[in-house]
């Protein structure tokens, strides 16, 4: 058939016009846009019945109440619990990110047994029976060899039913080697014990103070019970109160403080004692309190007069005598002054001298055991379990000294010297790790990891594949806090004994098991007195029995406080506050804690800092948190250090360039970030970065400051008192 | 019964952010991510590609150590009203009416399924409050379980921004209506960032309602495009005529000057680069 | 082989040579198409745009090609409405260039939007207050007009013209061309203007914002004016380039001089208006929004005072004067230089109005934002250039674009020397 040219061209033109006028192109346009509005790869969250579950956040020691919004069986949003005594509706970004941990990719979903070499990340899923059986078998063997003391346990806390079950297990088993992750509580507890004779945590009444003198405490970056402290700070803003921040770096706290006293790192004790000097010289102390309730004032006054004149402190701190005097007097003349001890979030115990000095300032102004002041808060005594019957193996094991030497004559003020675990690793045959990540968060973490290599049997109870779990032989994954019941006693600075209840917001998602149940089942599998020490069917019944009368209130309110608790007198022999005795005298007369690394080889000082946008304890920062971290802190995968432009320029370092940071402990590639808010000669780096475990949202970003900083033992307590380390940048 | 003949007054939802109290903690940012199904990627360090409906800027006074000062500016969408109600920079330019001004609420909405991603609104917004979905939103396997059904996740190729948690308004209004009420109590409609703020730095409510805290704190001047009468209060870039609904309060003068060019006399270099934000 | 398609009385190069040229340009086109597909399939993360640069290279390219394509509407206006009849010898080419520019702009827009499948929402859910809505409507309508203006040219192809229907259609369309030219001029006035309005209405962006006359900011009028001024320069430049490549004189000097003179006067008047607008902005608009004008040219590595020298002096007064003054206008080198400077000047103006607007910090605590396009953006911007070259090659070969070509290049029956001037 022959198609004429005319015919062909007309056909083409007619066809085009016909198609354009038909509904086809319009229908296609409409359908394609509807498709683009419903792309199958963009999720559509299913709707359902909305409910709220009241619980408690355990992601930091803060113990905030949370209210979790659910749709059917899905948790969709964490909110702060309104009317909670600590956070009254407020919540921090870590608490808000909890669901990313619950549903995140780093959850350990079933018991795992190591398949490849340690740390290689090769695992074989095993049954719970096998997991419990293998732990019981191994621990039984050690007892059989008469070496129960070679079992060690590291946990985040020693309180609450789970902390106590762990400790009870250790006692029944026969090992004194229970370790709590280090924190400022170690030093604060010691200072309170020494001065007040009381055993307990420091309750700081930030809510009623009108002048807070903070010695580097990250009031606005996670110190104490973080939201509680935030609220206190805002209250001070409303009432025109005063916050003074002593710190070498313009932290968030310093930025919002009424006065930032930029002192040289490590000179805080000198400043505190010089301020004491000023107060005493001006007779500005609380005379009644000193006269009635203080022992050793004259000795103390003599000591500061001799050794801590403001002129001396001026040289050490870098502040002028006038500034020291001015702020000392402002502190002393405030209505309710409060001096706070503990740097950053309080992850390092710090020096006993500094803790005592800060506490002494409080004593001079008479705010010990007073509203707006500080007092010793005893543990909430709701745990009354029957005595343990120890067998001979356990009794013998418990007679052996702790491997870290804590509580011995050498270290009488320390209960735990957990940073020393690396040194004692030779003696550890088996290690249990609960709710903590020592392979990331202890100083000189390389040494900790090397020590772990020497321990033949490491069991992790972690819910997440963290650095420590990576280095374990067996993982018995715990439920996350959103899947379990647990009592959460709060010590972090609270002034009333407070216990929150953490409860299952959702059914456990995976084949995990409550840490409490794991302990009970391991103990039962071991039979004998070990099993006998645990008369409970399971953890939940243990918890309910233990809480007994409190249970109903806890279920309903999510928290109980011993309302109306008021501190009593001092528990010292004289019944007075011990401002000075021989022990303290030795502490005060000793030199300051020095950093590692001398000034010639290491001209700079590297200090770690804490950010509320990062998590640096047991859990790692969630993707939401990392998303908020400034590009002055991480850029791409590189971590940046803060450095004063003046210092950087003398070193020939440009803003934004990469450099090598070297300390006596380690070396890392870091980016340079010019910051006018940091003292010349100091470089700062946040805690919580440089993870090697966790997911791609966290791993490999920035540098773990614990790879650059070691511990420095406080000569007075043996606790880790490192505030920084000598460093060089090139 | 006598029916009070009240003149209908539209709501004017807005915020007062106390910069003295704000600590820069960023909880508001994460509260917003979590409330509004905001996606995240492996690398969020390029802040110009990072979706943050609420963004906290760090601003310094530019002075040397130790006189350096820092202030944080939390920046949600400013829900601009413009010089006549509804003439927001972004709403006025959107060719497809995909972002709209709620005359009853003063809330600037964003209709994700209508937006076709021309990004003209982003160019129009002086506050960089608008974010484009350069990528498909992807949640790690299993994590999509926390997504809220109240806010639809956005597809690639469109713009999103702070909605003043509009779904919360809808839920509160529905509840009130079923209870036979036409007005919401102040506490019934609060945004996620306001609620989360651990420092209580954000106050949210109806700026037109003298009983609401935001009205009392900002003291908007109805005759001058709601300029604040409180001398410590200011709005970002007042002079542009955006007529925003986010008021900031600061006792520090340099902070007020950093946020609002209205406060700066024109003879000086009014727009200096001395403040750097991250 | 394709000689039956080639217009009568003109000489074209051999088919293989033509196809080889076509193949080379097609390679560039393919590169652009690949980048375009990447953008559509993977999304705009393929670009270096970001939340500060929602508008970038592509929008600049759009504004620039539309300004340069302004030769079509303005020549049409001059010929059909004002009665400059001599321009009929260049109007075909002006229309073709306009058609290329506008189809390119539409293609770039289709890549630029995040949801191309929904781009018709701009018509369906139109916001009449938006300059972009005005742009979309006028742009598509004017593109339709250009298509209508281009069709008769296609119909003049030797073979198509043989079909009586098309012959008559072409004839009738020619008759009605004045109507289309008027429509085109009207539409162009608005869309060129509304493109200027796109930046000028941004009252949140003090660098771009301008006061209004009625509902239109000053930039509305400046954009129309500049398109009318520089569009003819672009037509002249491309004509010159085509003549260089084909090694033939295609349009008589008289026609060229006429268009050049008009372009020159338009440029001069435009640049005076632009200078006044700038002064007004410096001393009134910017300060009223709280900014000192110097702020917009400081503290950044790129946008400093050279921008003004380049745009206003080198890209405005210099080409304007060169085209107005008779000796320079009629000097080949000077005239071509003037058109090139003009093209660069107007392109720089469009760049500054889009890219510098995005770069300037508005919040006092923000910083300048700099941007370098990704290769995908560059490739997709080069794509329309390659497409334009191809369309010109085909059109030139098969359509009687230049009415004076036969007269200026008579084919000598048997002249061996003719081979040398073959193109
Ligand atoms: N196996 C096992 N180990 C445990 C526990 C367990 O249950 N089992 N419990 C753990 C717990 S919860 C705790 S709190 C610790 C408790 O263990 P320790 O902290 O060792 O408790 P104390 O023996 O009270 O230690 C206080 C120290 O202060 C010293 N001291 C007493 N009075 C004064 C004084 O006036 N001045 C000065 N300078 N020093 C004084 C004492 O010499 C003593 O060394 O043990 C922990 N270790
Ligand atoms: N005098 C004094 N009082 C103290 C302290 C102190 O050092 N000295 N420490 C304080 C501190 S820091 C803490 S954490 C608490 C915790 O101290 P306690 O309330 O006494 O609890 P545990 O530390 O578990 O118990 C310590 C010893 O009691 C035995 N024991 C273990 N389990 C149980 C049990 O269920 N019931 C009973 N009755 N005995 C058990 C074990 O043999 C173990 O060696 O006590 C506080 N009170
Ligand atoms: S402050 Fe601590 S306890 Fe409170 S929400 Fe944040 S992580 Fe949880
Ligand atoms: S949550 Fe509150 S304190 Fe924290 S950054 Fe936001 S506004 Fe500021
Ligand atoms: S802040 Fe930006 S996005 Fe929000 S209303 Fe104003 S112009 Fe629009
Ligand atoms: S990107 Fe979406 S919302 Fe913004 S102007 Fe374009 S269509 Fe409107
Ligand atoms: S009001 Fe709602 S949407 Fe806006 S920033 Fe706050 S939480 Fe996000
Ligand atoms: Mo204890």
């Amino acid at each position: 058939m022959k198609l004429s040219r005319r015919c062909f061209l007309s056909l083409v033109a007619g066809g085009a016009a016909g198609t354009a006028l038909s509904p086809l192109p319009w229908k296609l346009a409409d359908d394609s846009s509807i498709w683009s509005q419903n792309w199958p790869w963009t999720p559509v969250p299913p709707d359902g019945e909305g409910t709220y579950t009241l619980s408690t956040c355990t992601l930091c020691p803060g113990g905030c109440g949370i209210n979790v919004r659910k749709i059917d069986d899905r948790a969709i949003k964490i909110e702060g619990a309104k009317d909670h005594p600590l956070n009254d509706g407020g919540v921090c970004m870590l608490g808000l990110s909890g669901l990313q941990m619950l549903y995140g990719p780093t959850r350990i979903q079933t018991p795992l047994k190591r398949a490849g070499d340690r740390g290689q990340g090769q695992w074989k899923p095993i049954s719970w029976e096998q997991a419990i059986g293998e732990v019981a078998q191994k621990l039984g063997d050690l007892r059989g060899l008469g070496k129960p003391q070679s079992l060690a346990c590291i946990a985040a806390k020693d309180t609450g039913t789970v902390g106590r079950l762990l400790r009870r297990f250790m006692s029944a088993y026969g090992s004194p080697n229970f370790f709590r992750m280090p924190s400022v509580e170690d030093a604060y507890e010691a200072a309170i014990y020494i001065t007040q004779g009381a055993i307990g945590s420091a309750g700081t009444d930030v809510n009623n103070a009108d002048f807070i003198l903070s010695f580097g405490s990250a009031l606005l970056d996670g110190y104490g019970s973080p939201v509680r402290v935030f609220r206190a700070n805002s209250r001070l803003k409303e009432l025109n109160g005063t916050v003074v921040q002593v710190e070498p770096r313009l932290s968030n706290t310093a930025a919002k403080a009424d006065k930032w006293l930029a002192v040289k790192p490590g000179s805080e004790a000198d400043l505190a004692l010089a301020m004491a000097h000023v107060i005493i010289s001006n007779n500005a102390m609380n005379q009644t309190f000193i006269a009635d309730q203080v022992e050793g004032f004259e000795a103390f006054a003599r000591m500061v007069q001799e050794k801590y004149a403001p002129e001396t402190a001026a040289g050490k701190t870098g502040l002028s005598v006038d500034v020291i005097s001015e702020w000392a007097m402002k502190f002393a003349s405030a209505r309710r002054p409060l001096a706070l001890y503990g740097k950053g979030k309080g992850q390092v115990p710090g020096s006993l001298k500094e803790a005592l000095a800060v506490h002494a300032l409080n004593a001079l102004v008479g705010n010990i055991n007073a509203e707006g002041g500080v007092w010793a808060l005893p543990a909430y005594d709701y745990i009354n379990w029957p005595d343990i019957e120890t067998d001979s193996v356990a009794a013998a094991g418990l007679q052996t000294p702790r491997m870290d030497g804590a509580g011995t004559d050498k270290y009488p003020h320390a209960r735990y010297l957990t940073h020393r675990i690396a040194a004692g690793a030779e003696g550890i045959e088996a290690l249990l790790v609960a709710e903590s990540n020592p392979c990331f968060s202890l100083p000189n973490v390389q040494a900790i990891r090397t020590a772990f290599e020497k321990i033949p049997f490491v069991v992790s109870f972690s819910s997440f594949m963290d650095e420590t779990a990576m280095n374990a032989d067996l993982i018995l994954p715990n439920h996350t806090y959103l899947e379990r019941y647990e009592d959460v006693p709060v010590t972090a600075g609270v002034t009333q004994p407070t216990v929150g209840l953490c409860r299952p917001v959702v059914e456990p998602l995976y084949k995990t098991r409550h840490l409490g149940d794991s302990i009970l089942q391991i103990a039962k599998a071991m039979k004998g007195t070990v099993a006998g020490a645990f008369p409970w069917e399971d953890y939940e019944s243990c918890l309910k029995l233990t809480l007994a009368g409190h249970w109903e209130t806890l279920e309903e309110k999510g928290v109980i406080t011993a309302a109306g608790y008021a501190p009593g007198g001092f528990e010292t022999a004289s019944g007075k506050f011990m401002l000075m005795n021989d022990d303290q005298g030795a502490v005060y007369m000793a030199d300051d804690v020095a950093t590692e690394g001398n000034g010639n080889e290491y001209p700079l000082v590297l200090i770690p800092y804490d950010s509320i946008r990062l998590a640096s304890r047991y859990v790692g920062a969630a993707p939401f948190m990392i998303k908020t971290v400034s590009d002055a802190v991480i850029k791409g995968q590189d971590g940046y250090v803060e450095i004063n432009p003046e210092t950087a320029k003398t070193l020939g370092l440009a803003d934004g360039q990469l450099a090598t940071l070297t300390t006596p402990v380690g070396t890392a590639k870091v980016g340079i970030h010019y910051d006018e808010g940091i003292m010349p000669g100091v470089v700062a780096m946040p805690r919580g970065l440089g993870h090697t475990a966790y997911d791609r949202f966290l791993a490999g970003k920035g540098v773990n400051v614990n790879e650059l900083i070691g511990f420095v033992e406080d000569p007075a307590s043996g606790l880790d008192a490192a505030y920084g380390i000598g460093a060089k940048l090139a | 019964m006598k029916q009070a003949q009240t003149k209908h007054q539209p709501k004017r939802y807005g915020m007062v952010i106390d910069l003295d109290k704000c600590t820069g903690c960023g909880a508001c940012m994460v509260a917003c991510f979590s409330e509004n199904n905001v996606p995240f990627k492996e690398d969020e360090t390029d802040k110009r590609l990072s979706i943050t409906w609420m963004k906290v800027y760090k601003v310094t006074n530019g002075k040397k150590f130790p006189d350096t000062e820092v202030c944080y500016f939390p920046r949600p969408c400013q829900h601009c009203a413009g010089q006549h109600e509804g003439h927001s920079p972004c709403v006025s330019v959107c060719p497809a009416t995909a972002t709209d001004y709620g005359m009853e609420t003063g809330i600037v909405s964003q209709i994700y399924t209508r937006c076709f991603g021309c990004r003209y609104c982003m160019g129009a917004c002086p506050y960089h409050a608008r974010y484009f979905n350069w990528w498909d939103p992807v949640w790690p396997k299993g994590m999509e379980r926390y997504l809220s059904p109240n806010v639809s996740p956005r597809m690639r190729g469109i713009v999103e921004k702070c909605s003043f948690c509009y779904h919360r308004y809808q839920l509160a209004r529905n509840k009130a209506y079923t209870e036979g009420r036409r007005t919401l109590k102040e506490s019934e409609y609060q945004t996620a960032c306001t609620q989360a703020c651990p420092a209580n730095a954000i106050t949210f409510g109806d700026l037109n309602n003298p009983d609401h805290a935001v009205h009392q704190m900002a003291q908007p001047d109805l005759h001058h495009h709601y300029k604040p009468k409180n001398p410590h209060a200011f709005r970002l870039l007042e002079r542009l005529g955006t007529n925003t609904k986010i008021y900031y309060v600061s006792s520090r003068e340099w902070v007020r000057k950093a946020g609002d060019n209205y406060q700066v006399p024109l003879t000086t270099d009014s727009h200096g680069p001395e403040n750097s934000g991250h | 082989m394709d000689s039956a398609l080639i217009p009568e009385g003109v000489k074209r190069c051999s088919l293989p040579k033509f196809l080889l040229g076509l193949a080379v340009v097609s390679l560039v086109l393919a590169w652009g198409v690949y980048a375009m597909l990447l953008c559509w399939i993977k999304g705009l993360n393929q670009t270096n745009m970001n939340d500060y640069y929602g508008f970038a290279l592509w929008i600049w390219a759009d504004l620039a090609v539309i300004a340069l394509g302004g030769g079509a509407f303005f020549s049409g206006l001059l010929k059909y409405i004002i009665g400059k009849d001599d321009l009929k010898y260049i109007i075909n080419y002006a229309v073709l260039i306009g058609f290329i520019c506008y189809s390119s702009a539409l293609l770039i827009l289709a890549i630029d939007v995040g949801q191309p499948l929904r781009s018709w929402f701009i018509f369906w859910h139109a916001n009449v207050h938006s300059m972009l809505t005005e742009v979309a409507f006028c742009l598509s309508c004017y593109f339709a007009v250009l298509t209508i203006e281009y069709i008769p040219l296609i119909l003049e192809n030797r073979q198509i013209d043989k079909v009586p229907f098309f012959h008559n259609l072409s004839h009738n369309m020619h008759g009605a061309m004045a109507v289309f030219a008027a429509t085109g001029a009207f539409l162009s006035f608005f869309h060129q203007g509304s493109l200027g309005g796109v930046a000028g209405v941004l009252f949140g962006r003090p660098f771009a914002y301008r006061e209004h006359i009625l509902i239109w900011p000053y930039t509305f009028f400046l954009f129309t004016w500049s398109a009318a001024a520089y569009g003819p320069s672009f037509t002249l430049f491309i004509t010159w380039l085509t003549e260089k490549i084909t090694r033939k004189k295609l349009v008589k000097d008289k026609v060229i001089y006429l268009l050049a003179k008009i372009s020159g006067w338009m440029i001069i008047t435009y640049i005076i208006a632009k200078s006044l607008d700038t002064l007004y902005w410096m001393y009134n608009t910017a300060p009223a929004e709280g900014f000192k004008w110097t702020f917009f040219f400081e503290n950044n590595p790129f946008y400093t005072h050279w921008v003004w020298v380049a745009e206003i002096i080198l890209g405005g007064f210099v080409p304007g004067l060169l085209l107005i003054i008779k000796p320079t206008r009629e000097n080949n080198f000077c005239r071509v230089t003037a058109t090139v400077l003009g093209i660069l000047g107007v392109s720089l103006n469009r760049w500054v109005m889009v890219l510098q607007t995005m770069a300037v910090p508005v919040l006092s605590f923000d910083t300048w934002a700099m941007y370098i396009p990704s290769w995908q953006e560059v490739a997709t911007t080069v794509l329309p250039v390659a497409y334009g070259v191809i369309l010109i090659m085909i059109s030139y070969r098969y359509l009687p674009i230049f009415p004076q070509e036969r007269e200026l290049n008579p084919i000598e029956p048997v002249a061996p020397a003719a081979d040398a001037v073959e193109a």
Side-chain angles (χ1 to χ4, degrees), chain B residues 133-250:
Chain B
N133 282 272
W134 301 99
W135 284 266
D136 279 304
V138 181
W139 282 268
K141 196 170 151 7
M143 247 201 230
E144 70 287 338
R145 280 176 284 186
Y146 75 61
L147 294 177
S148 161
N150 299 118
V151 185
S152 46
R154 284 70 63 183
M155 66 291 287
R156 185 185 86 199
I158 61 144
V159 163
E160 60 182 75
K161 67 158 195 75
C162 154
S163 66
F164 266 176
C165 295
Y166 195 73
H167 58 286
R168 288 185 170 216
Y169 171 71
Q170 290 171 314
L171 291 171
R173 195 189 46 190
N174 292 350
K175 183 165 168 287
Y177 279 16
T178 51
E179 290 167 10
R181 286 181 290 123
R182 306 301 289 179
T183 49
L184 297 179
K185 280 179 264 168
E186 190 176 8
S187 62
E188 271 180 315
Y189 169 35
Q190 287 294 323
T191 68
C193 51
T194 306
Q195 206 180 46
C197 176
N200 271 337
I202 310 178
T203 311
F204 181 82
D206 178 8
L207 291 159
N208 277 343
N209 189 333
D211 296 334
H212 281 204
V214 283
H215 179 96
Q216 293 153 11
M217 293 166 84
Q219 301 159 24
D221 183 346
L222 271 63
H223 305 292
H224 291 93
H225 292 300
Y226 298 87
K227 252 187 80 181
K229 283 187 279 194
N230 172 353
H232 278 184
F234 64 95
R235 296 188 288 182
L236 292 179
L237 304 172
E238 180 80 50
R239 265 204 183 95
L240 294 186
T242 42
N243 190 359
T244 65
K245 298 195 194 73
I246 311 294
Y247 294 77
Y248 294 88
V249 178
S250 176

Side-chain angles (χ1 to χ4, degrees), chain C residues 251-417:
Chain C
V251 182
K252 285 185 182 166
D253 283 344
K254 190 181 156 209
V255 181
I256 300 284
Y257 297 158
L258 172 66
L259 197 57
K261 185 175 164 187
I262 296 170
S263 183
W265 278 108
M266 289 298 290
I267 291 176
I268 277 293
T269 47
Y270 159 75
I271 209 70
I272 291 169
K274 161 84 194 169
S275 306
L276 292 175
D277 165 77
T278 305
L279 287 169
Y280 188 81
W281 168 81
M282 282 159 65
Y283 295 107
N284 285 286
T285 319
E289 293 211 322
F291 293 82
K292 205 173 159 188
W293 67 270
T294 46
F295 167 76
F296 299 97
F297 298 91
E298 287 168 352
N299 298 304
N300 81 89
F302 187 70
Y303 298 104
T304 53
H305 297 292
W306 71 263
V307 170
W308 291 20
V309 176
E311 189 194 330
I312 296 187
I313 310 289
L314 292 179
F317 285 106
V318 172
L321 290 172
L322 285 176
L323 294 179
I324 286 173
I325 299 165
K326 195 166 180 232
T328 47
R329 175 169 69 236
E330 296 187 355
N331 172 299
N332 245 349
F333 176 77
C334 289
R335 189 183 63 253
V336 173
T337 307
T339 57
V340 171
L341 284 176
I343 291 164
L344 294 176
V346 75
S347 302
L348 178 62
N349 169 267
R350 300 315 194 241
W351 179 278
V352 162
M353 289 310 286
V354 178
L355 278 291
Q356 194 174 351
T357 300
M358 299 295 130
V360 175
V362 182
L363 288 164
S364 79
F365 41 82
D366 219 324
T367 45
W368 280 78
M370 291 295 142
Y371 149 91
I372 295 167
S374 71
W375 74 261
Q376 291 92 329
E377 285 174 272
V378 174
T380 42
T381 307
V382 170
L383 161 65
V385 176
Y387 144 80
V389 170
I390 289 173
L391 202 59
I392 288 179
M393 284 171 77
I394 295 173
S395 299
Y396 169 73
R397 188 173 177 86
Y398 297 118
L399 306 177
I401 299 280
F402 297 101
Q404 294 173 320
E405 182 183 358
R406 260 202 280 187
E407 186 191 336
L408 291 167
N409 306 275
I411 302 179
E412 286 152 51
V414 248

Side-chain angles (χ1 to χ4, degrees), chain B residues 51-55 57 75-80 90 121-122 124-132 159-163, chain C residues 51-52 363:
Chain B
I51 303 179
T52 48
W53 295 10
M54 171 67 100
K55 172 171 171 150
Y57 284 89
R75 192 249 37 222
C77 166
Q78 308 283 305
H79 295 272
C80 312
C90 54
C121 52
M122 299 176 71
C125 172
Y127 307 108
H128 296 295
R130 296 185 154 264
Y131 295 89
F132 187 71
V159 163
E160 60 182 75
K161 67 158 195 75
C162 154
S163 66
Chain C
D51 293 331
Y52 277 51
L363 288 164

Side-chain angles (χ1 to χ4, degrees), chain A residues 614-631:
Chain A
L614 289 168
S616 41
R617 286 179 267 226
Y618 164 44
V619 292
F624 275 161
M625 302 171 71
I626 289 294
K627 178 166 173 153
T628 70
V629 173
S630 160
D631 57 0

